[in-house]
């Protein structure tokens, strides 16, 4: 850097300055560039958090209103893979926690592959 034809003279000028000049220049850089960027990032995080919270509360209110206004539909009892009613005493009870859904919400559709086949769970009993 010292021998560079364009920047060599700048480097020599910087090296001749007292240390307090360099410290003030670094402080001015931090004060003019780094602090405003940090404040803007913190403000953006704060605004995003507030917007997310407000929209989450609105979505929760809409879901609650929809659950109140939608009549519950009769649904068949949840069955395990043996087509027997699901009970907690069953030794082969499924660990599918989707039965804890409120009865007013329909079960999600089963996953499908791109060619239309259904994914199924195979239980091997040896």
């Amino acid at each position: 850097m010292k021998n560079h034809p364009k920047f060599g003279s700048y480097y020599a000028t910087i090296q001749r300055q007292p240390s307090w000049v360099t410290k003030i220049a670094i402080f001015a850089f931090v004060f003019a560039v780094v602090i405003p960027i940090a404040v803007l990032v913190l403000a953006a995080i704060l605004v995003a958090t507030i917007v997310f919270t407000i929209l989450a509360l609105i979505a929760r209110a809409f879901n609650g209103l929809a659950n109140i206004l939608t009549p519950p539909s009769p649904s068949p009892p949840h069955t395990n893979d043996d087509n027997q009613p699901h009970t907690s005493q069953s030794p082969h009870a499924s660990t599918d926690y989707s039965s804890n859904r409120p009865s007013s919400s329909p079960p999600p559709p089963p996953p499908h592959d791109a060619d239309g086949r259904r994914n199924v769970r195979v239980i091997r009993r040896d």
Side-chain angles (χ1 to χ4, degrees):
M1 189 72 130
K2 293 178 188 178
N3 299 330
H4 193 275
K6 187 173 185 180
F7 300 113
S9 62
Y10 295 121
Y11 184 81
T13 304
I14 291 171
Q15 289 296 325
R16 285 193 300 263
Q17 301 305 317
S19 65
W20 61 269
V21 172
T22 306
K23 289 178 185 176
I24 291 176
I26 291 172
F27 175 76
F29 173 78
V30 168
F31 191 71
V33 176
V34 175
I35 291 175
I37 290 174
V39 169
L40 288 173
V41 167
L42 290 175
I45 290 171
L46 180 67
V47 167
T49 303
I50 290 171
V51 168
F52 178 80
T53 303
I54 290 171
L55 292 177
L57 291 174
I58 291 171
R60 189 176 201 183
F62 278 137
N63 286 339
L65 186 61
N67 286 339
I68 290 171
L69 297 177
T70 305
S73 62
S75 62
H78 182 72
T79 59
N80 59 11
D81 293 334
D82 296 330
N83 290 330
Q84 301 296 323
H86 179 73
T87 60
S88 61
Q89 288 83 15
S90 173
H92 301 290
S94 170
T95 57
D96 181 19
Y97 297 109
S98 63
S99 63
N100 295 334
R101 273 192 312 278
S103 62
S104 64
S105 65
H112 288 73
D113 286 338
D115 60 357
R117 293 181 292 165
R118 283 183 31 177
N119 291 331
V120 294
R121 180 176 42 172
V122 176
I123 299 175
R124 295 183 182 153
R125 294 189 175 123
D126 296 323

